[in-house]
Amino acid sequence: MTSSRSFVIPTAIAGSFAVLGCASAPEPPSRPTSVYDAATFYDSTAVFGGSFSADESKVLITSDQSGTFNVYAQPVAGGEPEPLTQSTTDSLFAVSYFPADDRFLYNGDSGGDELDHLFVRELDGSVVDLTPGAALKASFEGWSGDRRSFYVTTNERDRRFFDLYRYATDGYQRQLIYQNHGFFIGDISRDGRWLALGRVVSNADGDVLLVDLEGGPAAAPVQVTPDEGVISHGVVGFTPDSTQLYYSTDGIGEFDQVWSYTLSTGERQPVVAADWDVQYVRFSENGRYRVTAVNADAQTKITILDTRSGAEIAPPSAVAGDLGSVRFAPSETRMLFSLDSDTSPSNLYVWDLEAAPAAEPRQLTRSLTAAIDPADLVHGEVVRFASFDGLEIPGILYRPHQATATTPVPAVLSMHGGPGGQSRKGYSATVQHLVNHGYAVFAVNNRGSSGYGKTFYHLDDQRHGDVDLQDCVWARSYLETLDWVDGQRIGIMGGSYGGYLVAAALAFEPETFDVGIDIFGVTNWVRTLESMPVWWGAQRESLFTEIGNPATDLERLRRISPLFHAERIVRPLLVVQGANDPRVLQVESDEIVAAAKANGAPVEYIVFPDEGHGFTKKANRIAASEAFVRFLDQHLRGAAAAEAAGATGAVRTSAE
């Protein structure tokens, strides 16, 4: 669950839409655009990471260039990455190089079941599972300040709780240092003495606690954040000198701020505040640099502070897009960061801080396939419209190049997951594939989304299938006001909670949307809430506050569950599901498909046997994206119109 803030209700609606952005912009000219298949879009490479090696000559990254996510060593000087793992089945993800040699940590699950194990690859290439056992989940929690040990959490003792262990860097002997009973592990101070914990009371209320680890594994946590009403606090992290704990709070206004707690005195002081949520604050190895990220209207804005001089370091002039995943070399002389935009997948750059700001960063990866002309891709535009009650709803609108008032295009609402997620600016192969094939995409951040203030975030609490769904309905009405959109052909798609909104739209507003694409969406809230993975622990209480508790809200949960109203589904429906999904079980999709078919609705169903809650294999992502376009071509646009839409040229494939 995430939380975020800010909402505006226009003083007068008078039946019109309060719109910012492209609705008032001059119409761009239509331009010829090459049309590409999904394989070409996914021929691009997803890259993220990384961790500097001990000699700072390379960084440890994750890449799907082989078709499955694996671990690679990317030279800092540039050049091709070296594959370090070669899985062809399960996705593997880079964690960290060891501090003094080229051993490295990585993790992975089995077919998307989210039961991650932590592995180390030795210098000779052999692999050690540091967290062996069945049905357990483990996570890396960081290195000790002296780098002689590292921290790992596992739920092997009790599947509900994650205990904290210290592993020796040499030999991997481990010691239990905190036995957990329902808290979230936040951070461990560099000196190894303090452990910060998060406690969830509800989706609007949370506390931060401290444990003095010198008291042993059973030491009692002490709350350090103010307990003055319903306020959401969260752990940000300890300062490198182990004197302060940073924590987030929404108790001052609409947005998350970051405050400090001095361990020796208990004094609290504001550190960072903005007109949007502060996402995180991080430090370089010895605290020379501090990085702050702010979620500014669905985009990340980064600030880098030189703590010695107190001066901000301006981002490189060549940087255009969302700068993120900032990591510093141990020497604090280099900074690694990622950069993505609507028209470019994330790429990694390294920047020489000693030569900054004059030196430009060096690009290490080139993720977008050369088969795609970047000019054929589309930038999204942040727009807003007034919903049924005047509430201003934000979203990101993608307009195909061929869309004009004389050649209007069909459109699809894209609903994010969560509840409480946020559609953000940035590259999506699926979105670009749809837009490239002549579909406008409107990524709606309905009430309840993160990023727009705590009031906005909580407006849908226990009102799901109602006010959030009406935001979707009014988003369609907004699209109908755009002369370049074909107002007679508008569908809705989404994954997870977004998939729930798709099923809810087709069941509760059966005449509003022309088609629906449900990607592992919740259809039976009673079962989903009762079958949550046991390791979610206190997060259950957050979801019960947000959605409802089956023990006390059974009637309402059945009322808002599309499965129990599937007889109303009449519009074409495509359902896509991972067989190993631990969050939304396959039975959710099986049953809504069977019910809609029995009702006579056109239904297509795809199950990926090797995926979970989200698709990591490139072949599966290609198959899903092609299925989306085929389904929309047949049921939204119509086959003849789809053929005409591609008349500017044949669909180009990745082999061309």
Side-chain angles (χ1 to χ4, degrees):
M1 295 302 113
T2 53
S3 91
S4 271
R5 335 298 171 214
S6 153
F7 81 139
V8 177
I9 297 180
T11 55
I13 312 170
S16 64
F17 289 90
V19 180
L20 305 177
C22 68
S24 59
E27 179 172 274
S30 177
R31 60 177 293 275
T33 301
S34 294
V35 181
Y36 308 93
D37 63 4
T40 304
F41 279 101
Y42 281 101
D43 191 38
S44 297
T45 304
V47 177
F48 49 91
S51 160
F52 280 92
S53 60
D55 63 3
E56 302 184 9
S57 67
K58 51 188 175 288
V59 290
L60 196 70
I61 65 171
T62 303
S63 169
D64 69 346
Q65 70 177 49
S66 70
T68 303
F69 283 108
N70 273 286
V71 182
Y72 293 77
Q74 172 63 54
V76 169
E80 291 299 311
E82 174 192 358
L84 300 178
T85 63
Q86 291 83 29
S87 176
T88 58
T89 53
D90 295 323
S91 293
L92 304 176
F93 300 94
V95 173
S96 177
Y97 272 118
F98 273 61
D101 56 52
D102 280 352
R103 289 176 294 166
F104 64 88
L105 296 167
Y106 67 96
N107 62 24
D109 66 5
S110 179
D113 63 6
E114 299 186 18
L115 296 174
D116 303 278
H117 284 224
L118 184 67
F119 304 92
V120 58
R121 200 192 80 158
E122 302 282 11
L123 295 176
D124 63 4
S126 61
V127 173
V128 177
D129 184 350
L130 297 174
T131 54
L136 66 82
K137 183 177 177 66
S139 178
F140 176 73
E141 300 296 339
W143 295 96
S144 64
D146 60 12
R147 298 304 192 252
R148 295 179 180 176
S149 59
F150 56 94
Y151 301 102
V152 177
T153 55
T154 87
N155 62 346
E156 63 193 72
R157 175 185 62 85
D158 187 321
R159 296 296 183 259
R160 298 170 297 170
F161 309 128
F162 289 89
D163 296 331
L164 182 64
Y165 294 83
R166 180 190 292 117
Y167 281 68
T169 301
D170 296 322
Y172 315 130
Q173 295 86 3
R174 71 173 190 170
Q175 174 189 4
L176 175 67
I177 61 173
Y178 181 68
Q179 186 168 299
N180 195 3
H181 292 284
F183 301 104
F184 289 103
I185 301 295
D187 193 24
I188 305 101
S189 61
R190 295 276 184 93
D191 61 9
R193 177 174 178 179
W194 300 101
L195 168 65
L197 301 172
R199 174 170 58 199
V200 172
V201 180
S202 72
N203 70 332
D205 195 355
D207 306 311
V208 173
L209 303 94
L210 273 178
V211 177
D212 187 344
L213 294 175
E214 291 184 351
V222 176
Q223 183 174 329
V224 299
T225 48
D227 193 6
E228 301 169 351
V230 179
I231 300 173
S232 180
H233 298 101
V235 176
V236 175
F238 290 97
T239 55
D241 60 7
S242 300
T243 63
Q244 292 182 317
L245 170 66
Y246 281 11
Y247 66 89
S248 63
T249 177
D250 67 2
I252 312 304
E254 281 291 316
F255 296 96
D256 280 337
Q257 300 180 5
V258 172
W259 283 54
S260 66
Y261 175 86
T262 301
L263 300 174
S264 61
T265 65
E267 180 183 14
R268 302 184 190 92
Q269 293 288 337
V271 178
V272 181
D275 292 332
W276 300 92
D277 281 331
V278 179
Q279 292 175 276
Y280 63 79
V281 177
R282 295 176 184 158
F283 288 91
S284 59
E285 182 78 7
N286 298 306
R288 168 72 185 274
Y289 299 103
R290 190 186 78 189
V291 179
T292 301
V294 173
N295 179 3
D297 211 7
Q299 300 181 78
T300 300
K301 302 301 182 186
I302 295 289
T303 302
I304 306 168
L305 179 71
D306 185 333
T307 61
R308 292 182 186 174
S309 67
E312 288 187 9
I313 299 177
S317 59
V319 168
D322 262 19
L323 186 152
S325 301
V326 176
R327 299 290 186 271
F328 293 91
S331 65
E332 300 184 318
T333 60
R334 295 187 180 97
M335 184 180 89
L336 181 76
F337 63 90
S338 65
L339 187 69
D340 86 332
S341 69
D342 291 344
T343 59
S344 173
S346 183
N347 281 297
L348 295 178
Y349 294 75
V350 66
W351 194 25
D352 185 348
L353 293 171
E354 292 187 328
E360 293 296 336
R362 180 166 58 255
Q363 184 172 344
L364 300 182
T365 63
R366 297 192 181 277
S367 297
L368 184 66
T369 174
I372 293 178
D373 180 353
D376 289 333
L377 303 181
V378 171
H379 287 276
E381 186 166 8
V382 175
V383 301
R384 287 171 164 80
F385 65 93
S387 191
F388 67 97
D389 56 355
L391 181 69
E392 191 176 85
I393 303 297
I396 304 169
L397 185 59
Y398 298 86
R399 176 176 181 168
H401 287 302
Q402 59 267 49
T404 68
T406 55
T407 57
V409 298
V412 181
L413 265 62
S414 176
M415 309 310 299
H416 62 68
Q422 183 189 33
S423 291
R424 294 172 55 80
K425 294 270 287 177
Y427 186 80
S428 165
T430 296
V431 168
Q432 293 293 341
H433 184 215
L434 289 171
V435 175
N436 179 250
H437 280 251
Y439 293 96
V441 175
F442 189 22
V444 179
N445 283 315
N446 55 279
R447 70 190 69 201
S449 301
S450 298
Y452 306 100
K454 63 184 178 185
T455 303
F456 189 93
Y457 179 74
H458 292 292
L459 285 175
D460 67 343
D461 285 358
Q462 302 210 15
R463 300 184 68 190
H464 299 288
D466 176 13
V467 293
D468 51 356
L469 179 55
Q470 288 306 306
D471 290 342
C472 299
V473 172
W474 281 64
R476 174 179 179 132
S477 297
Y478 160 65
L479 289 175
E480 291 173 347
T481 69
L482 306 179
D483 60 10
W484 54 270
V485 169
D486 182 346
Q488 302 302 309
R489 292 181 172 85
I490 298 177
I492 182 171
M493 68 183 296
S496 190
Y497 174 73
Y500 161 70
L501 284 174
V502 171
L506 268 58
F508 304 134
E509 294 282 344
E511 301 296 329
T512 298
F513 294 97
D514 300 289
V515 299
I517 299 176
D518 166 10
I519 309 164
F520 44 80
V522 176
T523 63
N524 180 349
W525 278 114
V526 178
R527 177 171 47 222
T528 294
L529 292 169
E530 289 179 339
S531 65
M532 285 185 287
V534 294
W535 63 81
W536 282 22
Q539 198 166 355
R540 292 166 172 263
E541 296 303 320
S542 179
L543 272 176
F544 289 162
T545 306
E546 169 97 5
I547 306 294
N549 189 331
T552 57
D553 301 317
L554 182 61
E555 181 180 349
R556 189 183 63 81
L557 291 173
R558 288 180 64 89
R559 188 170 66 250
I560 68 171
S561 295
L563 178 64
F564 302 115
H565 310 275
E567 74 280 357
R568 302 184 65 192
I569 296 177
V570 295
R571 295 296 169 85
L573 172 64
L574 169 63
V575 178
V576 188
Q577 176 73 41
N580 302 319
D581 193 335
R583 304 186 183 207
V584 179
L585 304 180
Q586 182 183 328
V587 66
E588 297 272 316
S589 293
D590 292 344
E591 291 183 351
I592 198 71
V593 165
K597 282 183 175 180
N599 189 42
V603 181
E604 298 180 22
Y605 190 25
I606 298 172
V607 177
F608 294 119
D610 55 350
E611 297 285 9
H613 199 70
F615 308 142
T616 62
K617 282 73 172 180
K618 189 175 289 190
N620 293 337
R621 284 178 277 155
I622 292 170
S625 198
E626 286 290 3
F628 301 156
V629 169
R630 283 197 309 270
F631 178 80
L632 294 172
D633 282 350
Q634 179 180 355
H635 295 287
L636 185 61
R637 176 182 279 138
E643 184 176 351
T648 55
V651 175
R652 297 178 61 181
T653 70
S654 56
E656 293 184 71

